[in-house]
Structure formats: structure tokens, C-alpha cells
Amino acid sequence: MEHLKYRSVFDIIGPVMVGPSSSHTAGAARIGKIVRTIFGEQPDSVDIFLFESFAKTYRGHGTDIALVGGLLGMEPDDERLSDSLKVAHENGMEVLFVPKKDKAEHPNLVKMLLKKGKRQMTVTGISIGGGNIQISELDGFKISLTMGTPTIITVHQDVPGIIAQVTKLLSDMNVNIGTMTVTRESKGEKAIMIIEIDERHPDICQKLRQLSHIDSVTYFD
């Protein structure tokens, strides 16, 4: 049996949200926001592939506006969420929804293809219930990012030594790495590190941002 991680009683009774379903709205908004964070900037365009339950009910349950709202940086309870498609258009972000008939590993699964100039990234997210989510794939790499443990996400330039700099900094701060995923677009281009650590270290972002070739650092706990 899979064990879900809850940080507070509010994770059990469900989050504050806009819409009829925590899986289809709160979870979807959180997926969108995490994907935006991993990408590091607003994309020019997003192709959103919806599977199973998401594919069947994404309009009626507000999954579409929730995903786009998250991609724009909105929280699940943001009052602007219902206007997210309009806001995306005003901000120059093109969105294409593609419901799929294929079977998926989970009934609430979405895959996104984000593009910005020549840069692109694919991410697969799952809404596992109660507003909780999992990121299961990044640029073809299988991962398991649940946001149930302290997590650091960096966007950086793919240059020799940058991973060693990050891991040395964490070691110097006595921070233990639980899991670490590194992926890149191509040699010498943008790269992403997702690092799950054992204990909370909210001050770590400032130190990581001081390293050379680091574009952005985001911390979740």
C-alpha cells in the first residue's frame, strides 16, 4: 500500500480551493504551479495532454482553468483562477488542450509540453487526491516528486562543475540529500536539478543563488 505524506490536518480534510473537486482543481492548480516553477519562467506556449478522468471532465470540473492558473503562478484559492484562460491570452501564453483516449498510470494524469523560444520541456503530473500531487516524469526521466519532503529546484547552465558546487554547498551546511534528479535540454544549455533533502533548510536558497551559473532556485517544504 502506498503511504501518502501529510504535513497538516488541512492536507487530510482538503485545501481551500476554487471549484468542485480537490483532485480536478486544487491538485491541477498545484501541478501547474510546480511545472511553472520547474520551467523557471512563463512559457510562450503549452500543449496540455489530458488522460482518463481529466480528459473526460476537464471542462466541467475546471481542470483546464486550474492548470493554466497554476502555470501563471496562481494558488488553488486565487480568485483570478476562473479567468486564467483570459489572463494567459493577455500575457501572450498560448494554450492547447488535447484530451487523450490512451490508458494512463493514474486516472488524474496530465502531460505538458512547454516551449519558450528554442527551449522546451515535458512534465507529467498526477493529482492523487485531496489536493496532493506527484510529478512522475521530467523530459522523459521517471521521477517521483511528491512535495511531501523539503525540495530544492534549480534551473542552471549546463557547465562542468555546477553539480559538484551544489552538492559541496549542501555538504558544508550538513544537509543530507535524499534523492537528486538532474536533466538538461542539451549539452551546454539549460539544466534542472530537483533535490529532496531530509530536513527543512529555508535559508539554503540564498546561498545557492550566489553560486555561478545558477539562474533560479526554488524551495518547497
Side-chain angles (χ1 to χ4, degrees), residues 69-219:
L71 287 167
L72 293 168
M74 299 178 189
E75 296 288 348
D77 61 345
D78 195 309
E79 293 181 355
R80 300 170 298 162
L81 207 65
S82 60
D83 292 323
S84 64
L85 299 178
K86 178 182 176 182
V87 175
H89 177 72
E90 292 172 348
N91 289 0
M93 185 174 78
E94 296 182 1
V95 181
L96 175 65
F97 292 98
V98 185
K100 305 287 287 185
K101 295 183 179 179
D102 312 53
K103 290 288 290 181
E105 60 187 276
H106 192 279
N108 299 325
L109 184 145
V110 58
K111 183 172 183 177
M112 299 188 193
L113 170 61
L114 298 88
K115 297 179 181 179
K116 177 79 172 182
K118 295 182 179 179
R119 183 183 174 213
Q120 68 177 41
M121 182 181 78
T122 61
V123 188
T124 299
I126 300 170
S127 181
I128 57 180
N132 295 285
I133 68 167
Q134 178 183 6
I135 303 300
S136 62
E137 177 268 336
L138 176 62
D139 281 342
F141 292 91
K142 291 293 184 181
I143 63 175
S144 181
L145 179 62
T146 63
M147 313 311 297
T149 57
T151 303
I152 304 161
I153 299 176
T154 73
V155 179
H156 60 277
Q157 295 296 314
D158 178 46
V159 295
I162 186 63
I163 297 173
Q165 288 183 52
V166 170
T167 55
K168 182 180 185 304
L169 175 61
L170 296 180
S171 176
D172 291 345
M173 296 181 67
N174 200 31
V175 175
N176 192 48
I177 297 173
T179 63
M180 182 173 183
T181 302
V182 183
T183 182
R184 65 182 184 182
E185 300 167 16
S186 58
K187 184 177 179 181
E189 298 297 328
K190 293 277 189 183
I192 298 164
M193 274 184 277
I194 300 176
I195 307 168
E196 292 184 316
I197 57 179
D198 289 345
E199 298 178 353
R200 296 181 67 251
H201 285 274
D203 59 334
I204 204 166
C205 287
Q206 183 177 357
K207 295 182 181 296
L208 286 170
R209 291 189 187 106
Q210 293 173 357
L211 298 178
S212 57
H213 305 294
I214 295 284
D215 294 333
S216 68
V217 181
T218 306
Y219 173 81

Side-chain angles (χ1 to χ4, degrees), residues 8-43:
S8 74
V9 67
F10 297 106
D11 287 334
I12 299 174
I13 65 175
V16 176
M17 61 186 178
V18 175
S21 164
S22 61
S23 293
H24 287 248
T25 51
R30 285 179 173 175
I31 289 172
K33 189 168 183 181
I34 294 299
V35 170
R36 164 67 180 266
T37 299
I38 295 173
F39 194 62
E41 59 186 329
Q42 179 182 298

